[in-house]
Amino acid sequence: METRQLIDGELIAGEGERLAVENPFDETSLAELGTASVEQTDAAIAAAHEAKRTWGKTPALERCEALHEVATGLRSRTEEIARLMTLEGGKPLVENRDEVGWTAAAFDYYAELGRNFAGRVIPPIESTQLALVLKEPVGAVACIVPWNYPLLLLGWKLAPALAAGNSTVCKPSELTPLSTLMLAPLFDHLPPGAVNILAGDGRVGARIVEDERIECVAFTGSVGTGKRIAHACAERIARINLELGGKDPFIVCPDIAGELSIAAKGAAWAAFLNAGQVCTSAERFYVHETLYDDFVSAFVVEAEAIVVGDPLAADTDVGPMISAPQRAKVLAQVAGARDSGAELLTGGGNAGHERGHFFAPAVVTGAAAETDLLSEETFGPVAPIVPVASLDEAIDLANSTRFGLGANVYTRDLGTIMRCMREIKAGTVWFNDPLTDNDAGPFGGFKQSGLGRELGQEGLEAFQETKHVHLETMIEAKDWWYPYGRAS
Ligand code: NAD
């Protein structure tokens, strides 16, 4: 198991504080590694600062080929990477295999996008002139990510950052560093320092973010950390791209009465995928009152059919949560809702597992709107269901939190689709197909869910600086220069 970091093209053991990585399935220790010391963090940033010159000048076609090679390398190691992701993250193996594939797809996508777009020609002021908009690399970019999709969220930053000609310093979560450290050999063919990977917690992250040689920070994580990063970057006007928390609504409209069982299946997947630890997990269900009772019954059946267990086992649907504190936070939210009158219809226990951070998928009704369960991010497998009398009420409630990452709606009605599409304040609105990502579709949040976008053309431009070039081909004095009001 690789525990060394990638600094300036070399694999180097961390000399900072020791970090123990736990297997959330059985709470055993998977590995202990040294994190990045202050000097090693400095060395990685210095290497990125140096490498941005060579990599930034590498022709776009060569960068494209290099990124395709990363994608091929990733795919060829799918099994071993996915297994390690499962051991350290607790997500079912089948989902981790998918994640490796999606990460490779992001490298392929940006390999092509990067060689296809370096700016545009715009109309000049005079016919003797040429006017260009050039897209240039920003420079040295920090890519800091959480534990729930460690490779995918890194790929959504690293691939476009490299495609645009930037160098990078990457930092995975302290809870899941191992699968990211395993990626180091995939970058062997890039100039040393173009990709650096450091291990450590928020203190290492903060050192990277606060360094003035880092010109852009691409971050996915909690709103609190996002705000700290925004503060640090404001000091020197460094670029930021923030993908933060969510509290996604899921609206079920009366016109789908005939397909209620499908909506309930989709709802259970949207709520419980990766034990509800998806930034776009559906965390609030607003169901038209005419369908409410049937939907709740169908949802409970779906929740109780989920196999909760060893994430390496082929028939496991949901593994453990990532950590004891994360599980405790979710338990507290459910307890808070119950204290204010909510009913726990199913789940909420440890699903029969004495060890591991297991949480049986839970369905809750009767929670008050002001409880944390309906207003703050849960990040766990809990589905609170609320009846609504109208679409107006559903949309108002959907827009009632400080978050605006994603939203789901089940309906066939075109008028409802048009209203939800325009009126829901969220970066993505999914109709009848929850949580499906598309490399070409920009992803990000309204309100406190973030700033900027990943994926799509926007996800490339997040790592490009824009330069306007104005070229006059005739060297002549202009008649609007001095002197004013008298002949020259
Ligand atoms: P977190 O904010 O605690 O940590 C995220 C990363 O930031 C980790 O690598 C951590 O070490 C690092 N970090 C912590 N403090 C830092 C600092 N001061 N400076 C720089 N780096 C620092 O988040 P988490 O608990 O790992 O992840 C869960 C959160 O991530 C949830 O809120 C979830 O919604 C969010 N998330 C968002 C998206 C999205 O795309 N919007 C996707 C997945 C997860």
Side-chain angles (χ1 to χ4, degrees):
M1 189 182 303
E2 185 56 74
T3 55
R4 290 171 298 174
Q5 307 173 91
L6 180 62
I7 301 175
D8 201 12
E10 303 286 334
L11 288 172
I12 299 174
E15 289 163 0
E17 263 177 37
R18 305 293 294 171
L19 171 68
V21 182
E22 184 199 56
N23 181 340
F25 167 60
D26 57 11
E27 301 175 52
T28 56
S29 176
L30 271 177
E32 207 193 282
L33 63 150
T35 58
S37 64
V38 173
E39 295 74 22
Q40 289 178 318
T41 306
D42 180 69
I45 296 170
H49 186 64
E50 192 56 36
K52 72 182 181 185
R53 299 180 220 285
T54 35
W55 183 243
K57 286 185 192 147
T58 302
L61 181 57
E62 282 178 37
R63 292 205 296 253
C64 161
E65 286 163 350
L67 293 193
H68 281 310
E69 202 174 324
V70 173
T72 305
L74 263 168
R75 288 196 182 94
S76 72
R77 299 185 65 183
T78 298
E79 270 317 299
E80 53 180 323
I81 298 173
R83 196 182 146 77
L84 188 52
M85 291 167 80
T86 306
L87 291 174
E88 67 177 350
K91 189 162 8 95
L93 182 59
V94 59
E95 293 178 19
N96 285 321
R97 286 193 190 112
D98 283 347
E99 185 175 342
V100 176
W102 299 333
T103 309
F107 276 91
D108 279 335
Y109 175 74
Y110 280 111
E112 294 302 324
L113 215 61
R115 72 167 169 140
N116 191 49
F117 182 68
R120 63 189 197 274
V121 180
I122 56 172
I125 303 300
E126 308 273 351
S127 59
T128 54
Q129 299 170 349
L130 183 65
L132 304 171
V133 177
L134 299 186
K135 293 288 181 177
E136 298 183 348
V138 179
V141 172
C143 303
I144 300 180
V145 292
W147 42 264
N148 60 338
Y149 288 87
L151 263 53
L152 185 68
L153 298 174
L154 181 65
W156 287 3
K157 296 164 183 57
L158 186 54
L162 291 172
N166 301 278
S167 59
T168 59
V169 179
C170 307
K171 197 200 78 64
S173 165
E174 58 274 29
L175 298 176
T176 53
L178 300 172
S179 48
T180 307
L181 294 174
M182 193 183 213
L183 303 185
L186 302 179
F187 306 107
D188 275 352
H189 57 294
L190 271 63
V195 177
N196 300 275
I197 304 174
L198 298 180
D201 61 16
R203 289 167 294 177
V204 175
R207 266 181 232 128
I208 301 169
V209 164
E210 287 161 14
D211 195 294
E212 61 181 18
R213 292 167 293 179
I214 295 294
E215 289 144 307
C216 172
V217 177
F219 170 77
T220 298
S222 60
V223 174
T225 307
K227 287 180 181 173
R228 280 192 284 282
I229 288 174
H231 271 287
C233 290
E235 279 298 317
R236 58 181 197 285
I237 321 288
R239 304 288 177 265
I240 46 174
N241 210 52
L242 303 176
E243 299 289 343
L244 308 178
K247 187 75 192 169
D248 287 9
F250 190 115
I251 297 173
V252 182
C253 298
D255 66 281
I256 58 103
E259 287 129 332
L260 198 66
S261 61
I262 297 175
K265 268 189 189 307
W269 190 73
F272 303 137
L273 175 68
N274 191 11
Q277 302 168 119
V278 185
C279 51
T280 50
S281 289
E283 296 200 349
R284 303 174 284 149
F285 293 82
Y286 300 121
V287 181
H288 193 266
E289 57 194 14
T290 53
L291 306 181
Y292 180 75
D293 289 339
D294 289 345
F295 183 82
V296 170
S297 305
F299 202 139
V300 168
V301 169
E302 293 298 333
E304 291 179 347
I306 287 172
V307 176
V308 180
D310 180 351
L312 285 173
D315 66 342
T316 291
D317 299 315
V318 171
M321 295 189 65
I322 186 71
S323 67
Q326 194 65 30
R327 184 176 186 278
K329 183 189 147 204
V330 178
L331 274 175
Q333 273 199 5
V334 174
R338 291 178 84 181
D339 287 347
S340 66
E343 194 182 349
L344 176 65
L345 300 186
T346 189
N350 62 6
H353 295 270
E354 290 310 318
R355 289 179 74 79
H357 311 303
F358 285 97
F359 194 112
V363 179
V364 175
T365 54
E370 57 279 4
T371 54
D372 281 355
L373 189 63
L374 280 174
S375 59
E376 290 298 326
E377 186 176 56
T378 303
F379 229 57
V382 184
I385 313 180
V386 176
V388 290
S390 65
L391 184 61
D392 284 332
E393 187 185 358
I395 293 175
D396 282 349
L397 287 168
N399 289 337
S400 66
T401 72
R402 65 186 171 122
F403 302 100
L405 193 56
N408 290 282
V409 184
Y410 262 84
T411 185
R412 283 181 184 281
D413 180 68
L414 187 57
T416 304
I417 291 172
M418 293 302 285
R419 282 202 58 200
C420 290
M421 184 177 92
R422 297 207 185 281
E423 295 178 30
I424 293 177
K425 304 287 178 218
T428 304
V429 184
W430 286 282
F431 292 95
N432 309 320
D433 183 19
L435 272 58
T436 298
D437 289 326
N438 178 344
D439 289 335
F443 179 86
F446 281 32
K447 301 193 269 184
Q448 292 193 27
S449 287
L451 201 63
R453 291 290 180 273
E454 296 190 321
L455 297 184
Q457 177 77 14
E458 289 84 349
L460 180 71
E461 292 188 47
F463 298 103
Q464 290 178 319
E465 195 51 277
T466 301
K467 183 183 282 172
H468 172 206
V469 175
H470 178 89
L471 171 65
E472 173 60 89
T473 58
M474 305 294 288
I475 301 191
E476 300 176 325
K478 302 293 184 190
D479 56 10
W480 55 85
W481 293 356
Y482 301 136
Y484 292 156
R486 44 190 200 279
S488 57

